[in-house]
Amino acid sequence: MVRPEPLAALSQTGYTAAMSIVRLLPPTLVNQIAAGEVVERPASAVKELVENAIDAGATRVDVVMVEGGQALISVTDDGGGMSPDEMVLAVERHATSKLPDDDLVRIRFLGFRGEALPSIGSVARLTLTSRPKGAESAWSLTVEGGAKGEPMPAAHPAGTRVEVRDLFYATPARLKFLKAARTELSHATDVIERLGMAHPGIAFSLSDGGRTLLDLAAKRGEPGAARLARVAQVVGRDFEANALALDAERDGVRLTGWAGLPTYNRATSVAQYLFVNGRPVKDRLVIGAVRGAYQDVLGRDRHPVVALFLDLDPEQVDVNVHPAKAEVRFRDSGNVRGLIVGAIRHALAGAGHRASTTVSTATIGALGSGQPAYSHLHHGPARPSLPLMRAGMAAQAPLHLAEAVAGFDLPPAAPPGAESWTESWTVAAPDEGVPDYPLGAARAQLHDTYIIAQTATGLVIVDQHAAHERLVLERMKQALAEGGVKRQGLLLPEVVDLGEAGAARMAEHAEDLARLGLVVEPFGTGAVVVREVPALLGDSDVQGLVRDLADELAEWGQGHSLQERLSDVCATMACHGSVRAGRRLGQAEMNALLRQMESTPLSGQCNHGRPTHVTLSLADIEKLFGRR
């Protein structure tokens, strides 16, 4: 048996000779290589052709995809059209009308590379039919597997139609990577929807040859309103009612668009849309900025819904870093990230106690189905793997509302083992009339957990633990901004056994923890002693708090400092220091909690993204009883 010789053992002369044969690749092969970069799948071809239609000034673009685009892709527009001579040039590589000054910095069009048509024509059967506005007739040109025909007279209204048949027939290996027709159609739908958001004045449609899959009517009127209406067409009708408007500018970069309320979220990041100078892109920097902006108002397994439009000088952004123009590179990425984070956080803070309208809708649906309205949200800390309420935590933790309810004496905890239903709820004496407060006036406490408030138009149900958790967190953040969290000494310092590794981690971060109001010191082997705690937390479960923080420090590892994860630490402390479910409150305490929610930023959701309250209108209640 003869073994093949390794490359190193080959004749150096023969190897050099083989490498010295330099030649130009055939044009057809060059186009096929370019097609591999530009036309990854049918949706890629759709993107290039629709962008060309937009650049041509179209007011309507109709797309047809048969068998997921493999059999036929047809894109028809009513744009400017092309003459026969222009059509011949359009199917040549690097021929374009979109760089009139040969300036790759100030690019004003979507498709500027001049690769789409020749690349598609090299791997498919392409027919280009066009008629310029005002011309007497249309012309047609075919390209099959890279072989170009001659323009021929044809019948067609003003505009252009591009037909792509038998995609990848000239490169059969690519066919193996195509997915099911339904999957390919879904990718094309996403492409058209994103382009439609950036250009609301253009009508778009997508058909599979037999039925219409997408129909986006053109939106007229004021640009901002038209854009919002188009975004709502794509994201859903609820978006407009649950979106916060963004309009901010920093160092020549302007951000407009909408950020969804934290309680209006999705299981994936698919509903996050970014546009740079009218171009849909997917950028890791922006995705990270959005995650940072929502980090302490949304659970880690949920994702916000946003539509962000960045406008900046073309010299400040490079759109030529990706063959399919799907990515961009900002000259000052820090400025862009800071603008996005700041604008979204400002909008969320301005929303105050507002929660999404879908919360009440989900509640009504849950009442009818018997399923929890927010079962998709984990009921624990930001990290589900770290249980925030340990088995040893007292079920009747004392209430501490600090300045929020200063002057109110707290009643004793409800006695355990109440058997009758009336023992599990407290009715507050009704006031005369209903005060004009957004969250109404407290009327009852149900099961020592939920506050029932009456408003002029319905009722509000408040989760007292979730609501107070947010109030404590916002006070901690404010205290940190003002120089540090006030501390209170423990009458009897608590010793917490954490094991050697856990105790070492807490000791290592003792200085940072002290800034947050938690003073810990090493105590023997594998333990720490807690001498002071944040005053905002009151009489909280110190043992559980310290153990959770030690676990979190272990999960972050050495790559993250406590300062970098400050919001996570504050959220953990706030959860331990907030009023627990099972704590009976008086009417004054309940009303104090409601008033604080109304004046506190982000109080519409707790630190994990769950709603703090549900609003039910009289109409909603009447539906439950069949009155509507």
Side-chain angles (χ1 to χ4, degrees), residues 337-352:
R337 188 185 191 283
L339 174 63
I340 293 172
V341 173
I344 293 178
R345 285 184 175 175
H346 180 75
L348 294 176

Side-chain angles (χ1 to χ4, degrees), residues 488-496 529-533 539 542-543:
Q488 67 178 19
L490 296 178
L491 183 61
L492 295 176
E494 290 214 32
V495 177
V496 185
V529 60
V530 182
R531 301 193 180 278
E532 295 178 87
V533 296
D539 189 11
V542 176
Q543 295 274 342

Side-chain angles (χ1 to χ4, degrees), residues 153 159 175 185 238 241 250 308 369 377 410 413 443 494 497 504 569:
L175 292 173
L185 281 170
D238 293 329
R250 179 189 294 181
L308 308 179
S369 65
L377 293 175
L410 304 180
R443 292 291 186 246
E494 290 214 32
D497 188 2
V569 177

Side-chain angles (χ1 to χ4, degrees), residues 398-411 451 468 471-472 475 536 577 579 583-597 599:
L399 170 65
H400 184 78
L401 292 178
E403 296 86 353
V405 289
F408 296 126
D409 293 328
L410 304 180
I451 299 170
H468 192 236
L471 299 183
V472 173
R475 287 199 202 95
L536 285 168
V579 54
R583 176 62 168 158
R584 184 167 295 181
L585 306 178
Q587 184 183 19
E589 295 167 327
M590 290 188 286
N591 279 320
L593 188 65
L594 296 176
R595 301 295 79 80
Q596 282 292 309
M597 290 176 64
S599 62

Side-chain angles (χ1 to χ4, degrees), residues 65 71 89 113 121 131 180 191 202 213 285 300 307 414 480 538:
M65 298 179 68
L89 283 175
R113 287 174 175 263
R131 177 180 176 180
V191 165
I202 303 176
L213 306 176
L285 167 74
R300 295 185 182 275
L480 278 173

Side-chain angles (χ1 to χ4, degrees), residues 383-598:
R383 287 181 178 78
S385 60
L386 300 178
L388 208 49
M389 293 185 65
R390 302 266 175 185
M393 180 176 290
Q396 308 296 335
L399 170 65
H400 184 78
L401 292 178
E403 296 86 353
V405 289
F408 296 126
D409 293 328
L410 304 180
E419 296 180 358
S420 67
W421 183 81
T422 55
E423 287 183 284
S424 65
W425 61 284
T426 303
V427 178
D431 298 329
E432 292 296 330
V434 179
D436 187 19
Y437 292 121
L439 295 180
R443 292 291 186 246
Q445 184 190 26
L446 188 63
H447 293 293
D448 294 342
T449 301
Y450 303 101
I451 299 170
I452 310 299
Q454 181 182 353
T455 66
T457 58
L459 62 85
V460 176
I461 307 173
V462 178
D463 181 333
Q464 64 189 40
H465 170 66
H468 192 236
E469 183 180 15
R470 169 57 63 181
L471 299 183
V472 173
L473 175 58
E474 292 305 314
R475 287 199 202 95
M476 290 194 71
K477 288 161 60 177
Q478 182 179 359
L480 278 173
E482 295 173 352
V485 178
K486 294 182 179 179
R487 307 192 295 249
Q488 67 178 19
L490 296 178
L491 183 61
L492 295 176
E494 290 214 32
V495 177
V496 185
D497 188 2
L498 299 173
E500 290 189 22
R505 285 191 296 271
M506 292 296 290
E508 180 184 351
H509 294 89
E511 185 175 342
D512 290 331
L513 290 170
R515 288 188 57 246
L516 296 170
L518 186 67
V519 177
V520 298
E521 300 172 359
F523 190 81
T525 302
V528 296
V529 60
V530 182
R531 301 193 180 278
E532 295 178 87
V533 296
L536 285 168
L537 302 190
D539 189 11
S540 60
D541 173 36
V542 176
Q543 295 274 342
L545 171 61
V546 172
R547 289 194 181 102
D548 280 350
L549 288 175
D551 288 344
E552 288 186 347
L553 291 173
E555 187 170 298
W556 299 339
Q558 298 298 319
H560 297 88
S561 67
L562 187 144
Q563 184 67 27
E564 291 175 314
R565 307 301 294 263
L566 204 56
S567 61
D568 294 329
V569 177
C570 289
T572 300
M573 289 184 170
C575 192
H576 278 271
S578 58
V579 54
R580 296 292 178 189
R583 176 62 168 158
R584 184 167 295 181
L585 306 178
Q587 184 183 19
E589 295 167 327
M590 290 188 286
N591 279 320
L593 188 65
L594 296 176
R595 301 295 79 80
Q596 282 292 309
M597 290 176 64
E598 292 166 352

